[in-house]
Every structure is written in C-alpha cells, then in structure tokens.
Amino acid sequence: MTTIEETADHGGELRPGRGAGWPAVGVLAAATFTVVTSEMLPVGLLTPIGGALGVTDGTAGLTLTVAGVVAALGAPVLTLAVGRADRRVVLCGLMAMLAAANLLAAWAPDFGVMLAARVLVGLGMGGVWALAAGLAVRLVAARSVAAATSLIFSGVAAASVLGVPMGTLIGQLGGWRAAFVVVGVLAALVTGALAVLLPPLPAEGAVRLGGVLRLFRDARVRTGLVVVALLVGGHFAAYTYVRPVLEEVSGVGPGVISTLLLVYGVAGVAGNFAGGAGAGRSPRGTLVVISAVLAGAVLLVPVLGVGVPGAAALLAVWGLAYGGVSVSTQTWLMVVAPEAREGASALFVAVFNAAIALGAFGGGRVADGWGISAVLWSGGALAVGALVAVGVGRGPGMEKV
C-alpha cells in the first residue's frame, strides 16, 4: 500500500528556520479559508448587490460564475507563470491582490467594476489554492504530512460553514459593501501573517507547460482528475439546489433550512479531517468509501429524507462524505506525482472549479427540464460514476502507463 508519507523527500523535513512547522500550516489554512470565503461571499448577498448595481438576481449570479471560471483557467496559468519565484513571495502577492479585489468590489459603482473585481478574486483564489495545496510536505515532518494537508484544506470546509454565513450577517447589519470590506481587511491580515510565518520557499523547480501536459500521460493522474470531476460535479449538481430540494422533496419549512445546512457544514469539517487521515493510509480505499457514501446519501434523499429528522440525518452523512473529497483527491495526486506537486495541484484546482461551474449549470438544466427531484438522481449518478472510476482506474500503488 502506498501512503503519502512515502512520497516525502528532503522537502518534507522540518525546516529549522523562521516559520517552519505548524504555524506556517495554520496560516495556509487561513489563506484557503479567505480565498474560498471571497469566492462564495455573493451567495447570501445577490439580491442587495443586484438592487444596488441595477441588475437582476440572475445577472448578479455572474459574480460567482466569473470567479469560478477564472480560477479554473488561472490556476494552471499562474503556476506556470511564477516560474522559479519564491512561493512565499508569490502567495503574499496573490493574497494582497485578493484584498484589493474585495475592496474594489466594495467600492464598485456599477456592475462592470464588480465583474472586474471578481476576475481578480478568481485569479487570486486559483493561484493561492494551487500553490498552498502542495506545501504541507515542505513544512512538516513526513509523518505529519497527511494531518497538515487536512488542516490546510480545513480552510475550504470552514469557509462553507462560517465564511458565507458571516458575510451574510455582516451584510444584514452593515450592508453588502461592508461585507466585502471586512473580507478585504481579513485578506490583508492574512497577507501579513503569510509574510511573517512562512519560511522562504524557493521553487523546487520551475513548472513548465510540457511538464504539466506530461502529467496527463500518467493514467493514475488521469483517473484522479476524473474522480475529482465526477464527485465535485455530482455534488454541485445537487447541492446548489439543496434549498428547493429541502422545501419540495423533504417538506422542510424555510425556518429550519439554515439549521440543517449548519448540520451539513459541521459534518463537512469532520469529514475533511476523517478523509485526510484515511487518505494518508490509502487514497483509493478512502475514495471508494467517500464515493459510495456520497452516492447513497444523495440518492436516498427522496426516499428517506422526508421530514426534518430524515433530512438532517442524510445531510449529515452527505456533508461527512463530501467533506473528505478535496483532501482525499489532492492526496491521491500528491502520491502519484510527488515530483510535480505544483503542476498536479494546478490541474486539480482547474478541474475542481470547472466541475463546480459545470455541475451547478447542469443541475439547473436538469431541474428546469425534469423537476427538482431529478437533480438528486443526476448528482447521485455522477457519484456512482466516480465509484466506478476509482474501482477500475489506475491509482496509487500501481505503475503508471
């Protein structure tokens, strides 16, 4: 069995200088929390944003789409563009740009300026996520890499639980522009913390386009990316429409939905750490369990998810399973491509964000064409497809072909 620890080389040893170890890992978790919060911030603010900038709610939704698409395209491009630059310097620069982008969004006098700000958010998010995802192996001892990777990705899970509700609450108290200001200030604080707590991180080697393209020749990498696309796409095909699902399929009242989503989010954080621990031992085995449980939870909502107790139980299981997706699939790619961690991470972020956009878009077309229950069947079917891909595809422990 191949474990993540077996991929560690001299880069995985503790660095004796300033910033090595867990404080550096912690600030990277804060960075992933901030970038994902920045991406998702408009979710609870679409109506006031649209009203203030003179666009419909549907048009205001482009603030999410644009950031996701730019992140998907920008992650591999930025990873190539930074060449041999010190990763600490690059991360600080990207976080500073993210801070400026959020402050620009807060000031935006019209929707065009808002979209420009969201383009910058997408660039910052894609770059920070791609670079931060593979740094745990360079900051802690080999035996702690799995736990450190989980901690870095906990920022993603925590943003879904705390970031969006926090932004919505600030928007309710001080207006939507205040929410962007607060997140912009948070990004600026994280920029300073990165500068202080990260050690110098010279590039292990410049990422080249040819090297990234060569990763596609490895069947184990291709399998990992297919699993990412199917799990993330299936999740967002269904979860994007979880509110109407709960109202129309589960029969849950609007007043209970926020509590149920909090249950889902807390379970997602737990799933992140459980998935990281399991993937550190066996990425393939962990993803078999995740894919099967996720498919079962989504597909059973119309059958067992009627009423508050059933819906709460299935949402908790759903959150627990999906919470482990990002860290487990990232671990898979780190294990099969230890010599090209940044290139693999860039591909991971690109596929992940593209799957979010395509999953949400496809789920919307399914809901419009076949009804809201159909998004659960489509999402569950994609998760089943991921289970098949994990089972029959090449993965960690196998020779690349």
Side-chain angles (χ1 to χ4, degrees):
M1 180 185 301
T2 302
T3 64
I4 191 171
E5 285 81 359
E6 293 172 8
T7 71
D9 55 15
H10 66 279
E13 296 174 0
L14 283 170
R15 293 177 177 270
R18 172 180 60 83
W22 290 102
V25 172
V27 77
L28 288 176
T32 60
F33 172 85
T34 305
V35 297
V36 173
T37 297
S38 297
E39 179 190 24
M40 302 301 292
L41 189 60
V43 167
L45 304 171
L46 285 183
T47 300
I49 289 173
L53 300 182
V55 297
T56 65
D57 287 350
T59 301
L62 290 174
T63 56
L64 290 171
T65 304
V66 165
V69 170
V70 171
L73 298 175
V77 173
L78 281 170
T79 305
L80 293 169
V82 297
R84 295 185 176 275
D86 188 303
R87 274 32 185 169
R88 171 171 161 262
V89 174
V90 174
L91 284 169
C92 289
L94 289 171
M95 284 301 301
M97 181 176 69
L98 192 79
N102 279 299
L103 295 176
L104 178 63
W107 171 78
D110 56 52
F111 194 64
V113 174
M114 172 62 80
L115 286 184
R118 298 299 291 172
V119 168
L120 295 177
V121 167
L123 287 172
M125 185 190 72
V128 169
W129 193 347
L131 294 177
L135 288 180
V137 72
R138 300 182 64 185
L139 296 172
V140 299
R143 65 181 179 276
S144 301
V145 168
T149 302
S150 295
L151 181 57
I152 291 172
F153 275 105
S154 72
V156 176
S160 67
V161 182
L162 302 174
V164 173
M166 176 190 73
T168 304
L169 177 61
I170 295 170
Q172 291 172 345
L173 296 176
W176 67 268
R177 295 183 188 273
F180 282 97
V181 169
V182 169
V183 177
V185 171
L186 174 62
L189 293 174
V190 172
T191 302
L194 288 169
V196 172
L197 295 176
L198 283 184
L201 292 166
E204 295 177 311
V207 179
R208 305 293 185 190
L209 178 60
V212 174
L213 295 178
R214 278 195 295 274
L215 289 172
F216 283 110
R217 300 178 187 174
D218 189 335
R220 302 169 303 173
V221 172
R222 294 198 301 270
T223 298
L225 294 175
V226 167
V227 172
V228 171
L230 291 171
L231 284 177
V232 176
H235 168 75
F236 277 94
Y239 186 71
T240 302
Y241 307 95
V242 69
R243 180 166 187 139
V245 163
L246 290 172
E247 292 176 340
E248 299 177 27
V249 178
S250 299
V252 172
V256 185
I257 289 176
S258 60
T259 301
L260 293 179
L261 294 181
L262 181 61
V263 168
Y264 164 87
V266 172
V269 174
N272 174 79
F273 288 101
R281 296 187 296 270
S282 173
R284 180 189 288 274
T286 301
L287 280 167
V288 165
V289 173
I290 286 174
S291 300
V293 173
L294 184 62
V298 174
L299 292 172
L300 286 174
V301 169
V303 181
L304 301 178
V306 179
V308 172
L314 285 176
L315 276 177
V317 175
W318 186 345
L320 190 67
Y322 185 73
V325 168
S326 57
V327 65
S328 299
T329 49
Q330 177 73 32
T331 298
W332 175 301
L333 292 172
M334 286 176 61
V335 169
V336 301
E339 75 292 344
R341 286 191 295 267
E342 287 188 353
S345 292
L347 291 176
F348 169 81
V349 174
V351 171
F352 198 103
N353 282 281
I356 291 174
L358 291 174
F361 178 81
R365 305 291 73 73
V366 169
D368 289 344
W370 291 281
I372 199 65
S373 294
V375 301
L376 298 168
W377 303 119
S378 61
L382 289 172
V384 170
L387 178 61
V388 173
V390 174
V392 304
R394 301 189 69 82
M398 298 181 176
E399 294 296 324
K400 65 180 178 180
V401 294

